[in-house]
Every structure is written in C-alpha cells, then in structure tokens.
C-alpha cells in the first residue's frame, strides 16, 4: 500500500510544482497527504481483491475538493490549494495500480510503479522513497516528471492554467 500511496502523493506534488507552488509548501503537503491516505486506506486494502474498495480509495477533484486533499492542504497552511489543481481530476489508488484522469471524459492513465528512482527525488525537491514489498526487496516509486506529464499527456489542455515546461 505504501508504494501506491507514495506514487499518488508524488504525482500530486508534481502537479503542484507545475503550477509554481513553492517547494516549502509542496513537501509538507505531500508528507501529510501520505499520512492521511495510509490511515484512510488501512482497513480498505485487499491485494487479493484489488477492485474491492476502489471507490473508497478514489480522490476526486471537481466543483468540490476531495476532503483528504483539503485536510492535507490545511495542515500545510495552504488556504486555497484548489487554484493550484486542475478543475476536473480523478485518481484511483488500488493495490498494484495508481490510475488518474484529467477531465470527466479524459483517458485513464497509469502511474508507473517501478524499481527506478524518480528524477524528482534525486533533486533538492525531495528524498528517494523506498518501501518493502511482499518479497522484502526494496522498491522505488517513479512518478512522471512535470515535463513528461505536460508533453505526453498534454495536461495543459486539461488544466485551466499554463504549465511551464523546462526541456
């Protein structure tokens, strides 16, 4: 569960970074969001039946901000995080799968859960994540980079603001 939650939190932190939210807010937000999601999913995680409880593990942003995102932002001192997030966004955090969609009719995409180190984590933005898998070997979380999100998934088309791309 921790690998999937960390991937989701990394994805959120990259979205916030693309909107130029200062790093001093991103790091505590990501940390608090991870704590809240692990606690929330504690009794709703069944790797044998990954679809069971999927709706409960869904993070939804539309006209209303998902309560877990709102609480993480509040704990970080961000009063209006919605201005840094897309107008329509859905993320499903399930065993062995983290998927997301921009817009109501957008394509569903998957975050990569791999053994590679995230380029974000090797910079001053954060530290590398590792978690024990069922085979007790350490795994690394790889969330897509900001420029990758913009170039491959063209998230600028789904957001109500421009995303700066450093190529």
């Amino acid at each position: 569960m921790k690998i999937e939650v960390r991937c989701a939190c990394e994805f959120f932190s990259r979205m916030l970074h693309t909107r130029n939210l200062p790093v001093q807010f991103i790091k505590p937000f990501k940390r608090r969001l991870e704590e809240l999601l692990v606690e929330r999913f504690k009794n709703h995680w069944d790797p044998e039946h990954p679809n069971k409880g999927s709706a409960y593990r869904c993070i939804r942003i539309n006209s209303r901000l998902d309560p877990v995102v709102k609480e993480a932002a509040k704990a970080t001192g961000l009063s209006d995080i919605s201005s840094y997030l897309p107008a329509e966004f859905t993320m499903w955090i399930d065993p062995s799968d983290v998927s997301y969609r921009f817009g109501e009719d957008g394509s569903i995409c998957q975050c990569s859960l791999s053994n590679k180190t995230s380029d974000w984590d090797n910079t001053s933005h954060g530290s590398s994540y590792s978690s024990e898998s069922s085979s007790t070997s350490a795994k690394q979380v790889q969330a897509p980079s900001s420029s990758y999100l913009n170039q491959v998934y063209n998230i600028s088309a789904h957001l109500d603001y421009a995303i700066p791309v450093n190529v």
Side-chain angles (χ1 to χ4, degrees), residues 97-146:
D97 181 46
V98 178
S99 301
Y100 60 94
R101 178 183 67 206
F102 288 98
E104 192 61 37
D105 299 318
S107 298
I108 296 174
C109 304
Q110 290 184 312
C111 288
S112 173
L113 302 173
S114 73
N115 291 326
K116 296 179 183 176
T117 302
S118 168
D119 61 345
W120 171 267
D121 293 331
N122 288 329
T123 66
S124 62
H125 301 297
S127 59
S128 182
Y129 297 121
S130 66
S131 179
E132 295 299 313
S133 69
S134 58
S135 64
T136 68
S137 64
K139 281 190 172 183
Q140 295 287 330
V141 174
Q142 181 183 5
S145 69
S146 302

Side-chain angles (χ1 to χ4, degrees), residues 11 17 36-37 40-42 61 74 83 88 92 106 113 128 131 138-139 142-144 149:
F11 188 94
H17 178 69
L36 291 169
L37 290 175
R40 181 178 179 184
F41 299 164
K42 188 169 36 179
I61 298 170
K74 182 179 174 185
S83 62
E88 284 277 339
W92 299 271
L113 302 173
S128 182
S131 179
K139 281 190 172 183
Q142 181 183 5
L149 286 172

Side-chain angles (χ1 to χ4, degrees), residues 25-96:
F25 290 110
I26 296 173
K27 288 180 179 182
F29 172 81
K30 181 169 57 170
R31 200 170 322 134
R32 184 63 181 141
L33 182 62
E34 183 177 341
E35 292 168 358
L36 291 169
L37 290 175
V38 167
E39 181 63 29
R40 181 178 179 184
F41 299 164
K42 188 169 36 179
N43 296 318
H44 297 274
W45 196 265
D46 185 0
E48 299 295 319
H49 304 96
N51 292 331
K52 183 179 180 185
S54 184
Y56 183 78
R57 295 185 304 270
C58 176
I59 296 175
R60 186 82 175 102
I61 298 170
N62 51 18
S63 59
R64 296 183 336 183
L65 192 58
D66 191 285
V68 74
V69 173
K70 187 184 277 186
E71 187 175 338
K74 182 179 174 185
T76 306
L78 290 168
S79 57
D80 185 25
I81 195 169
S82 60
S83 62
Y84 294 98
L85 294 169
E88 284 277 339
F89 178 77
T90 307
M91 178 175 272
W92 299 271
I93 305 167
D94 296 321
S96 300

